[in-house]
Amino acid sequence: MRLGCGAFAAGCVLVEVLGVALFLRGFFPAPVRSSSGTEHQAESPAPEPSAGATSNWTKLPPPLFSKVVIMLIDALRDDFVFGSKGVKFMPYTTYLVGKGASHSFVAEAKPPTVTMPRIKALMTGSLPGFVDIIRNFNSPTLLEDNVITQAKAAGKRIIFYGDETWVKLFPKHFVEYDGTTSFFVSDYTEVDDNVTRHLDRVLKRRDWDVLILHYLGLDHIGHISGPNSPLIGRKLSEMDSVLMRIHTSLLSEEREAVSPSLLVLCGDHGMSANGGHGASSVEETNTALLLISSAFERRPGDVRPPKLVQQTDLAATLAIGLGLPIPKHSVGRLLSPVIEGRAMREQLRFLHLNTVQLSRLLQENVPSYEREPGFEQFQVSQKLHGNWVRLYLEEKNSEVLLNLGTKVRRQYLDALKTLSLALSRQVAHYDIYSMVVFALLLLSAPQALGSAAELEVPLSSPVFSLLFYLVLLLLGAVHVSVCTSTEGSCYFCSLSWPTVGVVLVLVSALLCAVLSALTRTCVDGKLLRRNPARTNSKWSELDLLILVGTVGHVLSLGASSFIEEEHQTWYFLVSTLCLALCHESYRNCFLGDNGESPCCLRVEGRFVRAAPTVKDKSTGCDVLELDRVCTKPSSLDTLRGCEKAMVLASPWLVLGCCRLLRPLNHTGVQWAHRPDLGHWLTSSDHKAELSVLAALSLVAVFALVQSRCSPMSRVAMALGLLGIYCYRASIGHVLLPWQRGSTAVSRGIIEARFVYVFVLGILFTGTKDLLKSQVLAAGATVKTVGLWDVYSGLVLLAALLFRPHNLPVLVCSLLIQTVMTKYIWRPLKHGAAEVAVMHYWFGQAFFYFQGNSNNITTVDISAGFVGLNTYVEIPAMFLTAFATYAGPVLWASHLVNFLSSEPSSGSALRRAGFCYALVCSAPASVYVVLVTALRYHLFIWSVFSPKLLYEGMHLLVTAALCVGFAAVDQARVQSRSGRAAAS
């Protein structure tokens, strides 16, 4: 079957998307836990060790606390409590930290620092997988052993108010609950009021054992305006007063209680310098942890700085405090200050239970556990503990018992530390089998490197060849061997045999098709070498720059520093591209036809380089060897003086725009902490300057887009841009001309929906005109009426979702597109391949000009709630994704518009689709190989894994674009093949 290069590239990209999905499934394996009752059945606790004596302590120790209140403040960074902000805005908490009966810690959270994985870490003590960053949007039921499940099984009554993520994780565990939506970040008042309103009533009751409160307002303020917003101080003061109410109530109730209560103040993650979270910076990982109880003794003048611990340590501490078994998969260790006031025998018993649990987990996960230092320390500790118990039961000298007990306790603490570190290193279990299947699927891509406009893909011959059956038999044998081995536990082994058979047949057919295509390519290559006259293509300096730049960027992804600072790579590439275009325009202007090869023809008023052709015997038509229709620049003598001056000045104008955008948003790691122009504009002292800049930017957007819009779309665009300014004014970002001072701030729901009406109207009008033109143009050249209206609708949506200080990024993007279209690509007659790669480069550069990076922190989730008064999953995810990838999407859309408006647009569009798919999919293909090789790298989770998610998302966007190319491409190829067969 004959396929156009665009259709073949789209097919390869879709196969690659499937391959990347399988790779992600292997790289981020979702833990499969049994949902049966045996998963949470409490095992009999390990008996107290003894040496030659019989100990009567074989049960769990009694609970240390009668009640536990967990007050979790989302995004509670450690310096919000222990720093200057805590001293200023949280006086009662500061008093408890300095002089009260409390123990303070800085709890380190492991990436990904988003809410759902952090809740799992707090309650299970295990380290959640990185894939949980995606599950964060729709949390599944937690089946892993955890403190909440153990407490419910022990008959404890649990009440919860706050983030509904808890309700999704523990759907049947609370006797009373009231969940609030966590993703509607525009609300930072009601979301906390809905929690606090229950306090007075529930604190007076005595029918509960555990109370959990999850406050979201602080996190929402961070997403909206960052950690330096004046709203942060007000929210911290509010939280301080809530803490005081809870603590006062618990103290008054303890007068009648047998045992004391425990109040836990903690955060799930921190907050970065721009208010986001999800990555691994210190501001995002370090959270405050404060344990408050009258059982803790504090001597006068005993000031202890907060000790650095792991967030997973809280699960073991809560389990011991409530008299519960420690969760089976916990890698945390008991916070020893909590038990310092207990008798030595109790302290050693608690530490022994924790050490036994970690040693059992080590035995299950590490085959050579006996050689682990932590296991050896555990055995020594247990032996010493047995000796201490024997002396204790024999009632020996108390001083000897104290000295030996102190030694045993220190030995246990060392063993706990070593075991916990060893288990934390074992959390990365890779499904290598799924990753290998991805590599096999990826082998279908090499044939897309062919230069012909059409490809003969052998679909029937491989299926009936002996090689196909041999490959299928070999893959089947490998699958059976892997899945029947004792250590075989992977995703493919859990699939049904019919499903596995379909996958193996697909992989075998693809491998055989690739081998057939490569064989044909090698034969054609020998024929070309025998006929040198057919291989006289010439590479220009611009071609070499594009090739070297693309390959260099792909190779740079193997270094963590280049991934963290990838924006610098794209800034350098687009700057170098501008200089290369400047050199090219000057050479053609001053050298004329002497600066290029003499084979130039004037066709329909335009210069088109004569390309050598290869006669296709199967169809009797000429197929272009080169990847361009309109190729290298011709003489500029036909241009007038002012147009020629603009051609010469355009690269410098583009270079100037890119340079002006760089200080707007500092991104990456090295410079992200430094103030930039965006921070200056968004400060409350410069709201007037931001208002003027936003207004001028919106006017510029209209001026740059309206020229090619239909009259109706032009009016809708103007009203939509006016509505955008009104929306930003309503939420307090900018000022209206008649405003004086601060005014009441709303959510801007009506104004944003007003803009959405015009966005949908423009998109509908453009799509209708585009489909109408396709029907009317049957049998003729495909028309593209309405395509620019669709593009202008996307521009209007981007202007709505962009923050006001980022509107100049949108203006510069449109300005560069206009300048390069009118004064570079058309006069210099660049080929479709060059234009496609330039669009890809600029799209990537503008992704970073927006302030994005390869950290999850920079994703602006507030864009997903523009115009929404509650959290709606699909629209919120779409708006967030579009706002994040607005730069690449707009440049890809402009590529379609530009090539569709050119003569021979069908061929140019097909080739552009092929080249765009190639340059987009190549980084993803190479990167997964690099990540596989670096899967044990120190920064695999903090640097390489977030980039892998970005590459996967970008590949999905590319696949959607290539599918659009493929429909037109394949229709053209099939019709051409039909005409050739008829003739």
Side-chain angles (χ1 to χ4, degrees), residues 614-809:
V614 180
K615 194 73 173 180
D616 191 344
K617 297 179 181 179
S618 62
T619 60
C621 60
D622 291 338
V623 179
L624 291 176
E625 259 194 305
L626 301 179
D627 63 344
R628 60 185 75 181
V629 176
C630 301
T631 63
K632 298 311 295 178
S634 64
S635 175
L636 301 179
D637 294 338
T638 57
L639 297 177
R640 295 189 297 271
C642 113
E643 293 179 343
K644 186 178 294 186
M646 284 300 301
V647 171
L648 299 178
S650 294
W652 297 104
L653 177 61
V654 173
L655 185 62
C657 289
C658 294
R659 187 62 188 89
L660 290 175
L661 290 177
R662 292 181 65 173
L664 185 62
N665 295 296
H666 286 167
T667 183
V669 175
Q670 298 296 329
W671 308 97
H673 64 283
R674 296 196 174 186
D676 51 34
L677 186 57
H679 286 91
W680 185 84
L681 288 170
T682 53
S683 64
S684 57
D685 298 333
H686 304 102
K687 187 175 289 188
E689 291 86 344
L690 179 62
S691 302
V692 173
L693 180 64
L696 293 177
S697 299
L698 293 175
V699 172
V701 169
F702 178 76
L704 292 168
V705 174
Q706 57 85 29
S707 59
R708 292 178 57 187
C709 291
S710 62
M712 183 179 298
S713 297
R714 192 174 299 142
V715 174
M717 173 68 70
L719 294 176
L721 293 172
L722 180 62
I724 291 174
Y725 191 88
C726 294
Y727 164 72
R728 291 298 172 183
S730 66
I731 62 177
H733 288 171
V734 297
L735 298 173
L736 292 172
W738 54 84
Q739 283 183 351
R740 294 293 181 268
S742 60
T743 58
V745 176
S746 68
R747 298 181 184 175
I749 303 295
I750 297 177
E751 293 85 350
R753 292 180 177 177
F754 176 80
V755 179
Y756 281 137
V757 170
F758 291 111
V759 171
L760 294 176
I762 295 174
L763 292 176
F764 175 78
T765 302
T767 305
K768 182 193 68 174
D769 293 341
L770 182 62
L771 294 176
K772 184 178 179 181
S773 67
Q774 303 299 313
V775 175
L776 295 179
T781 304
V782 176
K783 305 297 182 182
T784 56
V785 178
L787 201 55
W788 186 263
D789 286 345
V790 174
Y791 172 73
S792 62
L794 296 178
V795 171
L796 182 60
L797 180 60
L800 173 64
L801 300 180
F802 275 22
R803 299 204 179 196
H805 75 277
N806 264 342
L807 288 175
V809 177

Side-chain angles (χ1 to χ4, degrees), residues 84-311:
S84 58
K85 283 188 172 67
V87 174
K88 182 178 181 180
F89 300 111
M90 305 186 74
Y92 188 78
T93 306
T94 302
Y95 167 78
L96 292 176
V97 170
K99 300 180 180 179
S102 66
H103 295 295
S104 54
F105 308 92
V106 174
E108 182 183 8
K110 299 296 183 183
T113 49
V114 292
T115 297
M116 191 271 284
R118 295 302 97 219
I119 295 176
K120 290 175 65 174
L122 288 169
M123 294 296 105
T124 66
S126 62
L127 296 176
F130 201 89
V131 74
D132 283 323
I133 199 169
I134 301 174
R135 293 180 165 191
N136 187 58
F137 289 96
N138 188 15
S139 307
T141 301
L142 181 60
L143 302 178
E144 190 174 353
D145 192 16
N146 59 84
V147 175
I148 301 297
T149 302
Q150 293 283 8
K152 183 177 183 295
K156 302 207 177 276
R157 293 155 296 183
I158 312 171
I159 297 178
F160 170 76
Y161 304 117
D163 186 355
E164 64 182 1
T165 304
W166 290 78
V167 182
K168 295 179 180 179
L169 289 173
F170 312 104
K172 299 180 180 180
H173 295 69
F174 306 123
V175 296
E176 181 181 324
Y177 65 88
D178 183 12
T180 57
T181 302
S182 58
F183 294 107
F184 187 58
V185 297
S186 300
D187 174 27
Y188 52 84
T189 303
E190 292 184 11
V191 72
D192 287 346
D193 291 343
N194 288 334
V195 178
T196 307
R197 64 190 175 97
H198 298 283
L199 272 184
D200 291 336
R201 176 177 54 85
V202 76
L203 290 176
K204 293 177 181 178
R205 295 160 44 186
R206 300 186 179 181
D207 59 344
W208 55 270
D209 302 293
V210 180
L211 173 64
I212 304 175
L213 309 171
H214 189 149
Y215 285 93
L216 291 163
L218 186 69
D219 177 67
H220 290 184
I221 292 173
H223 283 297
I224 295 173
S225 48
N228 299 319
S229 169
L231 297 173
I232 292 289
R234 301 176 201 168
K235 182 57 67 174
L236 291 177
S237 299
E238 177 187 342
M239 295 295 99
D240 188 61
S241 63
V242 171
L243 180 75
M244 183 173 64
R245 289 170 58 184
I246 297 173
H247 188 223
T248 304
S249 176
L250 292 178
L251 289 177
S252 62
E253 188 176 334
E254 282 182 8
R255 298 168 185 170
E256 304 176 5
V258 178
S259 56
S261 302
L262 174 66
L263 172 59
V264 180
L265 174 67
C266 62
D268 55 346
H269 52 75
M271 184 185 299
S272 67
N274 62 2
H277 54 88
S280 57
S281 66
V282 175
E283 293 82 2
E284 297 166 82
T285 58
N286 285 0
T287 65
L289 175 59
L290 186 63
L291 306 181
I292 308 167
S293 175
S294 59
F296 303 150
E297 298 179 357
R298 175 71 68 89
R299 300 173 184 175
D302 183 11
V303 179
R304 304 178 184 177
K307 181 182 177 182
L308 181 64
V309 298
Q310 296 300 312
Q311 197 178 60

Side-chain angles (χ1 to χ4, degrees), residues 856-885:
I856 307 298
T857 313
T858 53
V859 176
D860 182 15
I861 65 173
S862 64
F865 304 94
V866 175
L868 302 179
N869 55 9
T870 185
Y871 174 65
V872 185
E873 185 173 358
I874 300 301
M877 294 181 66
F878 169 77
L879 293 176
T880 303
F882 180 82
T884 303
Y885 288 93

Side-chain angles (χ1 to χ4, degrees), residues 319-394:
I320 293 297
L322 290 169
L324 305 172
I326 299 175
K328 300 175 184 178
H329 307 287
S330 171
V331 299
R333 45 191 172 131
L334 174 65
L335 298 175
S336 57
V338 174
I339 59 174
E340 282 181 350
R342 313 296 293 189
M344 180 59 71
R345 188 182 186 188
E346 292 184 39
Q347 293 188 45
L348 297 182
R349 176 63 171 156
F350 295 142
L351 294 173
H352 175 252
L353 290 172
N354 193 187
T355 316
V356 168
Q357 177 264 324
L358 291 180
S359 64
R360 287 176 177 173
L361 192 61
L362 185 73
Q363 295 177 45
E364 296 173 0
N365 289 273
V366 181
S368 58
Y369 67 90
E370 293 180 350
R371 294 194 297 269
E372 288 287 334
F375 189 78
E376 296 176 357
Q377 291 177 340
F378 160 68
Q379 289 181 316
V380 173
S381 305
Q382 190 167 235
K383 184 176 181 180
L384 290 175
H385 189 187
N387 294 332
W388 186 93
V389 171
R390 179 174 56 81
L391 293 175
Y392 176 83
L393 296 177
E394 293 175 0

Side-chain angles (χ1 to χ4, degrees), residues 462-536:
V463 179
F464 299 102
S465 65
L466 178 62
L467 178 62
F468 168 77
Y469 295 104
L470 290 177
V471 172
L472 181 61
L473 183 62
L474 176 63
L475 294 179
V478 171
H479 179 77
V480 172
S481 300
V482 171
C483 296
T484 56
S485 64
T486 56
E487 298 180 0
S489 59
C490 62
Y491 176 65
F492 274 109
C493 295
S494 63
L495 297 177
S496 62
W497 281 103
T499 305
V500 172
V502 172
V503 174
L504 295 181
V505 169
L506 173 63
V507 173
S508 302
L510 287 174
L511 287 174
C512 293
V514 168
L515 290 175
S516 301
L518 289 178
T519 302
R520 177 172 299 183
T521 301
C522 294
V523 173
D524 293 341
K526 294 180 180 179
L527 294 177
L528 288 175
R529 284 194 295 271
R530 294 175 184 174
N531 187 6
R534 295 169 58 180
T535 59
N536 58 354

